[in-house]
Amino acid sequence: RVPKGMRVQLPPVAQNDAKTWKIRKDLSMLKTVLEKLKAVRHKINVEVSAEKAQKSAETALKAMQKEVDVKGFRKGAVPFDIIRKHLGVEAEREIAKQIVRDTYAAAIGQENAAPISDPSVQYETYADGQPFKYWAEFDVMPDITVPEYEGLKLEREKVEVTDQEIDGEIKRLQAAMTQLEPADDGILGAGMMALVDFHGTVDGKPFKGSDAENFVVDFGTLLPAFEENIKGMKKGEEREIKITYPKDYFNQEIAGKEGTYHVKVKELRKKIVPELGDDFAKTLGKFENMNAVRADIKKHIANAKEEFQKRRLGTNAIRELSEKNDFEVPEVMIQNELGAMLDDIARQLKAQGKTPEEVGFDTKKFIEDNMGEAKKRVRGYLIAFAIAKGVPLTVGDEELETRIAMIARQSNQPVDKVKAQFEKENLKERLKSQVLYEKTLDFIVSKAKVKEVKPKKEK
């Protein structure tokens, strides 16, 4: 990207600097010098011939000519010298940008360079009849020596499914099958749900989420202080309540403060919870009894844990390789990974009905704290793809079709619709890279020495 302000004088290029890598070519229109500033950061110095620079300048001035208004001249017919005089620095900036646009790709191609980031461009002032000089810095992929990956020592936790886990899934099924029965004469409390309107304030002011209409109250799932204050309410009843939010409440704007609410109960319904037994099992599908339900749930939990352990092994393997093989990674890839990490957090919060601002999320601190982690992840990606290239490993059309079908099942969408979306948004190559990455991790694990250990308690 060309900066808004112009820079002065191209710095002299050292001819015998052992720390820089240079290739010089002198063609009729462009003279270029490529420097290796760092393993992953290169710089190209470009000198554009006077003839080529003038053509680009005329292109820029013709574009400005269509837009500029100068008193005494018809729009579209203002002489170029008047335009430059009238617009001053802005005109010179547009001319410089046009020259860079017209020559940058050719200059890069002339040096067989391979940028992976937008260039940071600086330039000299354009002068009629004179060559134009500019220089641009950009990130490049590092040259990677494939590390020794066979024989890694990894630990895999033995998959176990507890009765508590099975009971938890059965309770979720029971909740999903629960029916609601109107209870106009009932009172709000355990085993009840309600439809309410409320209006709240903290320090006399409303806040995000302080007002709601037709809000579903599932008693036993809300803030205990709120539930305690509305307990016993009847249909049609209105009540003024006060609650003190916990100091560690997710919304930092109101954490530790007192809130005042006006609550109105519009409807009351009683939960009719199905009794667990063989009849309940039959309502779930092909099951004859609860033992069959428990066996099926156990199987699904075990499969999910097996998949989790498989992915964890791959993650641990590539992390170990990343930590053992330290090399420079491009800044643009680090920033992209940090951006992806931030997007993941935003999605997780959104799924919980929260925003980063509400929970007091500090983006700057997160970036500072996770810069090292982002570098390790990027280094891991680069190592994995280097291994894939060396084996070699590839991803065929059939494997992509299988992955798209899996995504369609998980999202409950037709396969054709998901496929069309991937093609429309040009996401197939990204998906292909993801599948290749996972395939490479599986390959690395297949070459490792894996020891099975007892499950560890999760934090």
Side-chain angles (χ1 to χ4, degrees):
R1 290 182 292 269
V2 180
K4 290 184 177 180
M6 292 190 288
R7 302 294 187 266
V8 294
Q9 199 59 40
L10 182 69
V13 178
Q15 297 299 313
N16 298 298
D17 187 349
K19 295 182 180 179
T20 61
W21 168 57
K22 307 170 184 178
I23 303 174
R24 181 179 292 276
K25 293 183 180 179
D26 187 349
L27 301 181
S28 59
M29 292 296 183
L30 297 175
K31 294 180 181 179
T32 57
V33 176
L34 188 65
E35 299 181 47
K36 183 178 178 181
L37 304 178
K38 295 193 297 186
V40 293
R41 188 74 173 172
H42 288 186
K43 174 182 178 182
I44 189 168
N45 300 296
V46 184
E47 180 180 304
V48 184
S49 69
E51 179 187 352
K52 178 65 177 174
Q54 184 176 346
K55 287 181 179 179
S56 294
E58 288 174 358
T59 299
L61 287 165
K62 284 177 182 177
M64 288 183 270
Q65 192 178 52
K66 295 176 182 179
E67 304 295 331
V68 71
D69 284 317
V70 178
K71 189 175 181 180
F73 294 93
R74 180 169 52 86
K75 189 172 183 179
V78 183
F80 288 169
D81 59 332
I82 300 298
I83 292 174
R84 291 177 69 178
K85 193 172 185 179
H86 179 73
L87 295 179
V89 173
E90 182 182 347
E92 302 309 315
R93 183 166 60 241
E94 290 303 315
I95 289 171
K97 288 166 64 176
Q98 187 65 50
I99 298 173
V100 174
R101 274 197 296 268
D102 290 345
T103 61
Y104 179 69
I108 289 297
Q110 190 163 292
E111 293 293 345
N112 293 317
I116 62 170
S117 68
D118 291 335
S120 173
V121 181
Q122 297 181 13
Y123 49 84
E124 292 184 348
T125 301
Y126 171 75
D128 291 333
Q130 297 296 318
F132 178 80
K133 295 179 181 179
Y134 70 90
W135 53 103
E137 294 184 14
F138 49 83
D139 286 344
V140 297
M141 293 290 282
D143 291 325
I144 301 172
T145 301
V146 177
E148 179 57 51
Y149 56 85
E150 295 190 21
L152 292 177
K153 294 181 180 180
L154 304 174
E155 289 186 350
R156 180 186 184 280
E157 293 182 16
K158 183 178 179 181
V159 169
E160 295 179 356
V161 181
T162 66
D163 288 339
Q164 290 82 358
E165 290 171 320
I166 298 173
D167 291 340
E169 288 300 316
I170 288 176
K171 286 181 180 178
R172 276 186 275 277
L173 286 171
Q174 190 180 31
M177 300 293 286
T178 294
Q179 301 294 313
L180 297 177
E181 182 180 274
D184 293 345
D185 297 329
I187 59 173
L188 192 52
M192 300 291 289
M193 293 184 71
L195 203 63
V196 306
D197 293 345
F198 61 76
H199 169 71
T201 60
V202 168
D203 295 334
K205 299 177 182 178
F207 54 92
K208 185 175 180 180
S210 63
D211 293 3
E213 291 185 0
N214 299 322
F215 181 80
V216 177
V217 171
D218 185 359
F219 213 82
T221 63
L222 302 179
L223 200 64
F226 188 85
E227 290 186 350
E228 187 62 31
N229 276 276
I230 62 174
K231 187 176 180 181
M233 290 184 72
K234 298 179 180 180
K235 181 179 178 180
E237 183 179 348
E238 298 185 41
R239 186 181 291 182
E240 295 285 339
I241 66 171
K242 290 185 178 182
I243 63 171
T244 300
Y245 286 96
K247 291 182 179 179
D248 60 352
Y249 192 59
F250 77 88
N251 187 344
Q252 295 298 300
E253 182 185 358
I254 59 176
K257 296 182 180 180
E258 185 179 75
T260 301
Y261 282 90
H262 178 83
V263 183
K264 179 181 179 180
V265 177
K266 299 171 76 173
E267 289 185 26
L268 274 173
R269 295 191 179 186
K270 183 180 180 181
K271 294 182 181 180
I272 308 300
V273 182
E275 185 178 346
L276 296 179
D278 293 345
D279 289 339
F280 175 74
K282 292 173 183 178
T283 65
L284 299 176
K286 58 184 179 181
F287 307 106
E288 289 295 323
N289 50 51
M290 285 303 296
N291 286 337
V293 173
R294 294 183 70 87
D296 189 68
I297 289 174
K298 183 176 183 178
K299 177 183 175 182
H300 279 85
I301 293 176
N303 288 341
K305 286 189 171 186
E306 288 283 0
E307 182 64 23
F308 176 77
Q309 287 301 324
K310 177 183 175 183
R311 292 299 163 215
R312 174 181 274 182
L313 274 175
T315 300
N316 289 346
I318 202 66
R319 178 171 287 273
E320 184 173 330
L321 290 174
S322 176
E323 290 174 348
K324 286 181 178 179
N325 298 274
D326 190 10
F327 54 84
E328 282 190 84
V329 294
E331 183 66 25
V332 66
M333 295 185 75
I334 297 171
Q335 294 303 323
N336 287 343
E337 182 61 25
L338 284 167
M341 293 164 74
L342 288 167
D343 287 343
D344 285 343
I345 290 172
R347 277 193 293 270
Q348 291 168 16
L349 290 173
K350 185 177 181 181
Q352 300 170 27
K354 304 171 186 177
T355 66
E357 292 75 23
E358 286 176 339
V359 300
F361 184 77
D362 189 332
T363 301
K364 184 178 179 181
K365 188 175 187 305
F366 176 87
I367 291 174
E368 291 173 354
D369 292 345
N370 288 276
M371 183 68 72
E373 172 64 19
K375 286 181 181 179
K376 285 181 183 178
R377 291 189 185 188
V378 172
R379 198 176 290 121
Y381 299 148
L382 294 172
I383 289 171
F385 290 125
I387 292 173
K389 185 178 179 181
V391 173
L393 297 173
T394 59
V395 175
D397 292 340
E398 189 175 334
E399 290 173 287
L400 271 185
E401 294 289 331
T402 300
R403 178 58 62 91
I404 289 174
M406 184 183 76
I407 293 171
R409 285 196 305 272
Q410 291 174 341
S411 58
N412 293 318
Q413 296 186 65
V415 173
D416 291 342
K417 183 179 178 181
V418 174
K419 189 184 296 185
Q421 184 179 351
F422 270 86
E423 290 175 354
K424 180 181 178 182
E425 299 179 14
N426 296 317
L427 295 175
K428 288 191 77 171
E429 282 304 314
R430 185 185 297 180
L431 180 63
K432 190 173 182 179
S433 295
Q434 178 63 31
V435 175
L436 179 60
Y437 179 67
E438 293 173 7
K439 191 173 182 178
T440 305
L441 297 192
D442 292 343
F443 173 77
I444 295 170
V445 170
S446 73
K447 302 294 183 180
K449 296 178 181 178
V450 181
K451 178 183 177 182
E452 191 169 70
V453 297
K454 291 182 178 181
K456 299 172 185 176
K457 290 184 179 181
E458 296 292 337
K459 293 183 180 179

